[in-house]
């Protein structure tokens, strides 16, 4: 029996010597993430001294359990000896294996253990709760390796009912031998009398914890630990929902989650925890080029080479050229197997051109176009900017206003000289405007020439017009004159007489 306890003592001491933040046991093996910054050789030896070894692979489920919410590089078994391999974890990115210099000190290592003679679950009363504490902080999943502590008791009660230690497929009930974890006692352990309490306190009925007042007849007032309150029937303790009482988590991106006896502040969906702070990563799901990284503590989208983040939409990318001439961005035409000019694009402020059958984007010099700026125009790559002479201030991006001038909208000139305007997009190339002016001028000239010949031809025709040609030989000319009634009768009579004579 002494040998059994000595083995348990050495086992627990070995497990306590390994500082692990998280882990997981499943089946007959456990995985532990050990936070111990060392090179590869030291990490491998430390894992072997704990009767484990560096794993060569990890399932996705194991990766999620032991690396969720953490960033760093951790040693694993070499994939291509003699080179050394690390499991790289970055928040917001997929974890992967990569080659690392063997003498580099990483964040820690991942150690894998085989479980020998594990224990099954502790059998307790229905109203009792069992809390398992595994070595190295490993998460337990129906598999309990040796060295696991099980504490059984009423939910929320200060004092447990029983405590157990897993060893050789069986649970040892406290108090056990004092040489192993103080026999499971809360304060001190005596090899003869078992658990002992400090002066003024008495040993509880569970024989492992101490209380200030002795229990009489088994009747006593229910006392609950922090985070619990007495049940209505007075027979136990119930959990207090701290999240329902008040806003416990007030930092940006946090939300409150109630747990047994306490609460936790966790990050909301779309946020990840980094250095104790919830950081918003929702924008990363919308990035056009699927690139996202943290800048000055805030996640932002990135773009591929030749592009930049759009000023109008931080999730979109736009073409960018920082030279006077850049290669055009072309979409390959699978039908012809080469680049088609109709499928090539240039940034704003550039015009497409061909150099040796290669599409290029050439910067447009907007300053060659008239009326861009009132005073001085400076060409930029893909844009231009205006500035003013001394004594004037730039207004509306291109106007230069003297401080003594009045502006209808109440603007006051306060900016010092010179004041460059922000980058303005290109309008039209200079050669386009020159061609338009030339075409209009030729058209007007042709119109004037046609008008001249038309007027000249009409003048000649009017000069040779002879009215006598339309005058007949027997054409009478009549004149209008005023007549009286007597005159009209006389003229009528004369006309009738003349007609009778002509008949004869």
């Amino acid at each position: 029996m002494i040998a059994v306890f000595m083995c348990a003592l050495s086992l627990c001491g070995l497990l306590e010597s390994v500082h692990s933040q998280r882990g997981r046991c499943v089946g007959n093996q456990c995985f532990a993430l050990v936070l111990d910054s060392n090179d590869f050789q030291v990490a491998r030896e430390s894992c072997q001294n704990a009767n484990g070894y560096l794993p060569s692979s990890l399932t996705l489920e194991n990766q999620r359990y032991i690396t969720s919410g953490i960033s760093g590089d951790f040693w694993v078994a070499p994939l291509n000896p003699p080179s050394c391999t690390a499991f790289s974890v970055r928040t917001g990115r997929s974890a992967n294996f990569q080659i690392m210099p063997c003498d580099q000190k990483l964040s820690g290592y991942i150690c894998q253990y085989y479980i020998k003679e594990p224990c099954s679950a502790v059998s307790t009363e229905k109203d009792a709760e069992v809390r398992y504490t595994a070595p190295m902080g490993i998460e337990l999943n129906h598999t309990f390796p040796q060295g696991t502590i099980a504490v059984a008791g009423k939910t929320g009660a200060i004092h447990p009912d029983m405590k157990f230690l897993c060893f050789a497929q069986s649970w040892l009930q406290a108090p056990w031998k004092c040489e192993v974890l103080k026999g499971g006692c809360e304060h001190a352990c005596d090899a003869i009398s078992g658990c002992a309490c400090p002066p003024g306190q008495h040993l509880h009925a569970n024989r492992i914890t101490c209380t200030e007042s002795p229990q009489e007849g088994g009747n006593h007032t229910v006392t609950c630990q922090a985070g619990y309150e007495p049940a209505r029937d007075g027979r136990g303790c119930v959990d207090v929902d701290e999240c329902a009482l008040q806003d416990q988590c007030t930092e940006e991106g946090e939300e409150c989650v109630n747990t047994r006896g306490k609460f936790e502040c966790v990050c909301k969906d779309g946020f990840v925890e980094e250095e104790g702070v919830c950081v918003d990563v929702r924008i990363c799901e919308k990035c056009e080029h699927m690139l996202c990284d943290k800048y000055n503590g805030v996640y932002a989208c990135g773009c591929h080479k030749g592009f930049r983040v759009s000023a109008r939409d931080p999730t979109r990318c736009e073409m960018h050229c920082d030279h006077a001439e850049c290669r055009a961005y072309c979409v390959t035409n699978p039908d012809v197997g080469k680049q088609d000019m109709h499928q090539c694009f240039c940034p704003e402020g550039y015009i497409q051109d061909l150099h040796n059958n290669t599409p290029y984007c050439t910067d447009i010099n907007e300053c060659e176009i008239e009326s861009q700026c009132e005073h001085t125009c400076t060409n930029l790559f893909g844009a231009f900017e205006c500035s003013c002479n001394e004594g004037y201030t730039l207004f509306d991006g291109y106007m230069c206003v003297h401080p003594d001038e009045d502006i209808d909208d109440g603007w006051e000139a306060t900016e010092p000289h010179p004041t460059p305007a922000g980058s303005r997009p290109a309008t039209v190339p200079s050669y386009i405007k020159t061609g338009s002016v030339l075409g209009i001028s030729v058209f007007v000239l042709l119109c004037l020439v046609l008008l001249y010949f038309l007027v000249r031809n009409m003048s000649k025709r009017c000069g040779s017009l002879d009215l006598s040609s339309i005058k007949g030989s027997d054409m009478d000319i009549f004149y209008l004159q005023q007549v009286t009634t007597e005159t009209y009768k006389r003229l009528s009579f004369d006309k009738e007489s003349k007609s009778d004579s002509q008949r004869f």
Side-chain angles (χ1 to χ4, degrees), residues 61-92:
E61 190 174 7
N62 288 333
Q63 293 179 23
R64 182 173 62 87
Y65 271 98
I66 66 178
T67 64
S68 176
I70 195 170
S71 296
D73 299 312
F74 306 94
W75 292 117
V76 292
L79 298 179
N80 297 306
S83 60
C84 298
T85 306
F87 187 67
S88 181
V89 183
R90 295 291 183 273
T91 304

Side-chain angles (χ1 to χ4, degrees), residues 392 395 399-413:
Y392 289 80
F395 175 70
M399 298 173 59
C400 292
V401 181
H402 195 275
D404 296 335
E405 296 182 28
D406 293 330
I407 304 298
D408 293 338
D409 59 4
W411 174 85
E412 296 182 359

Side-chain angles (χ1 to χ4, degrees), residues 321-448:
C321 178
D322 54 0
H323 295 83
E325 189 175 76
C326 296
R327 286 284 295 271
Y329 174 74
C330 297
V331 178
T332 303
N333 189 339
D335 296 332
V336 296
K338 63 179 181 180
Q339 290 176 327
D340 185 355
M341 283 292 291
H342 296 290
Q343 295 177 306
C344 293
F345 307 93
C346 288
E348 190 175 12
Y350 286 77
I351 188 170
Q352 191 178 138
D353 199 1
L354 276 178
H355 294 175
N356 297 326
N357 293 326
T358 301
Y360 277 85
C361 297
T362 303
D363 176 50
I364 299 173
N365 189 351
E366 296 84 4
C367 295
E368 294 181 354
I369 305 173
E370 297 179 1
S371 302
Q372 295 292 348
C373 305
E374 275 198 337
H375 286 183
T376 304
C377 177
T378 303
N379 184 55
L380 304 175
F381 295 137
F384 68 95
E385 66 179 9
C386 298
S387 58
C388 299
N389 298 333
E390 186 175 359
Y392 289 80
T393 304
L394 190 69
F395 175 70
D396 200 21
Y398 70 96
M399 298 173 59
C400 292
V401 181
H402 195 275
D404 296 335
E405 296 182 28
D406 293 330
I407 304 298
D408 293 338
D409 59 4
W411 174 85
E412 296 182 359
T414 57
E415 300 183 15
H417 168 81
T419 307
S423 298
R424 301 179 61 187
T427 52
V428 294
S430 58
Y431 63 81
I432 294 178
K433 184 171 182 180
T434 303
S436 300
V437 173
L438 180 60
I440 294 173
S441 301
V442 172
F443 177 75
V444 172
L445 181 60
L446 289 174
C447 291
L448 292 176

Side-chain angles (χ1 to χ4, degrees), residues 108-179:
Y109 60 92
I110 299 176
C111 197
Q112 181 176 359
Y113 309 86
Y114 277 112
I115 301 176
K116 297 180 180 179
E117 299 180 332
C119 295
S120 57
V122 174
S123 299
T124 59
E125 299 178 359
K126 293 183 179 180
D127 59 345
E129 177 187 14
V130 181
R131 298 188 301 272
Y132 296 94
T133 303
M136 300 173 293
I138 295 176
E139 178 183 348
L140 301 175
N141 185 19
H142 307 295
T143 301
F144 307 100
Q146 297 189 61
T148 299
I149 300 294
V151 178
K154 301 296 188 298
T155 303
I158 295 179
H159 300 282
D161 293 337
M162 295 174 288
K163 181 184 290 187
F164 303 91
L165 171 67
C166 174
F167 180 76
Q169 295 183 315
S170 62
W171 292 100
L172 304 177
Q173 184 175 351
W176 50 74
K177 293 294 182 177
C178 295
E179 291 83 359

Side-chain angles (χ1 to χ4, degrees), residues 119-368:
C119 295
S120 57
V122 174
S123 299
T124 59
E125 299 178 359
K126 293 183 179 180
D127 59 345
E129 177 187 14
V130 181
R131 298 188 301 272
Y132 296 94
T133 303
M136 300 173 293
I138 295 176
E139 178 183 348
L140 301 175
N141 185 19
H142 307 295
T143 301
F144 307 100
Q146 297 189 61
T148 299
I149 300 294
V151 178
K154 301 296 188 298
T155 303
I158 295 179
H159 300 282
D161 293 337
M162 295 174 288
K163 181 184 290 187
F164 303 91
L165 171 67
C166 174
F167 180 76
Q169 295 183 315
S170 62
W171 292 100
L172 304 177
Q173 184 175 351
W176 50 74
K177 293 294 182 177
C178 295
E179 291 83 359
V180 179
L181 300 177
K182 296 191 306 181
C185 300
E186 180 183 12
H187 289 284
C189 182
D190 184 85
I192 298 177
S193 60
C195 295
C197 296
Q201 294 188 8
H202 305 272
L203 191 64
H204 191 271
N206 58 23
R207 299 189 302 152
I208 54 176
T209 61
C210 299
T211 179
E212 294 182 356
S213 59
Q215 303 178 50
E216 299 179 358
N219 298 323
H220 64 281
T221 302
V222 175
T223 57
C224 303
Q225 61 183 2
Y228 292 86
E229 60 185 4
R232 292 184 179 181
D233 58 6
R235 299 181 60 184
C237 300
V238 294
D239 176 56
V240 176
D241 188 356
E242 294 86 357
C243 296
L245 299 178
Q246 58 182 348
D247 294 334
Q248 303 288 352
C249 306
T250 58
E251 297 296 329
E252 182 180 3
E254 287 186 343
E255 63 180 357
C256 182
V257 176
N258 185 60
T259 59
R260 293 183 178 182
K262 55 183 179 178
F263 67 93
E264 294 181 359
C265 292
V266 300
C267 295
K268 299 178 181 178
D269 290 340
F271 291 78
V272 296
E273 183 178 354
E274 292 186 0
E275 299 177 357
V277 179
C278 293
V279 182
D280 190 357
V281 296
R282 291 174 294 183
I283 192 174
C284 297
E285 301 175 357
K286 305 176 182 179
C287 296
E288 182 180 11
H289 285 189
M290 304 297 290
L291 297 177
C292 191
D293 209 341
K294 188 167 66 174
Y295 304 94
N296 298 325
V298 178
Y299 276 93
C301 295
C303 298
H304 294 304
K305 185 178 180 180
F307 293 81
R308 66 181 176 185
V309 178
S310 172
R312 294 181 291 270
D313 187 347
T315 65
R316 308 289 295 178
C317 294
E318 62 183 16
M319 294 187 62
H320 174 63
C321 178
D322 54 0
H323 295 83
E325 189 175 76
C326 296
R327 286 284 295 271
Y329 174 74
C330 297
V331 178
T332 303
N333 189 339
D335 296 332
V336 296
K338 63 179 181 180
Q339 290 176 327
D340 185 355
M341 283 292 291
H342 296 290
Q343 295 177 306
C344 293
F345 307 93
C346 288
E348 190 175 12
Y350 286 77
I351 188 170
Q352 191 178 138
D353 199 1
L354 276 178
H355 294 175
N356 297 326
N357 293 326
T358 301
Y360 277 85
C361 297
T362 303
D363 176 50
I364 299 173
N365 189 351
E366 296 84 4
C367 295
E368 294 181 354

